[in-house]
Amino acid sequence: MRGRPKQQTTLFSLRTPGDRVPAGHPLRRVKDMADAALAALSPTFDEMYSGTGRPSIPPEHLLKSCLLMAFYSVRSERLFCEQLDYNLLF
């Protein structure tokens, strides 16, 4: 089953991640272009995923993270998560 994108609410900060990126930053234009391309692909993603089962990570999130990894020359998903300060060890 295809997961749906949901906006993360702020937990310990009054600012959203979008507020932290300057208005003229080039990543804002890239995000808009990626959002438009992924919106066009949304019907294809719907066909690819089953209607039953456990929801997956939305493919839009996975593809956007791959773009960020390419822009910042991150070699692996693990290093990407470490740079985002995700704790991979429980």
Side-chain angles (χ1 to χ4, degrees):
M1 188 161 104
R2 180 179 173 203
R4 296 288 173 204
K6 56 183 171 184
Q7 294 291 350
Q8 182 177 349
T9 59
T10 56
L11 181 63
F12 297 112
S13 177
L14 297 176
R15 297 175 65 190
T16 64
D19 294 340
R20 298 177 188 274
V21 179
H25 199 280
L27 279 180
R28 287 194 177 269
R29 288 185 41 215
V30 171
K31 180 185 181 303
D32 292 340
M33 290 177 3
D35 286 341
L38 291 171
L41 288 172
S42 186
T44 305
F45 292 146
D46 285 334
E47 291 176 12
M48 291 171 56
Y49 284 82
S50 170
T52 61
R54 187 174 178 194
S56 67
I57 296 173
E60 294 88 350
H61 287 215
L62 297 174
L63 292 170
K64 283 183 188 180
S65 66
C66 288
L67 272 176
L68 284 175
M69 288 171 53
F71 287 137
Y72 288 105
S73 301
V74 180
R75 294 187 312 271
S76 71
E77 288 88 0
R78 182 171 181 89
L79 287 174
F80 182 67
C81 289
E82 286 175 4
Q83 286 185 1
L84 292 176
D85 292 328
Y86 285 162
N87 185 7
L88 299 178
L89 303 173
F90 294 90

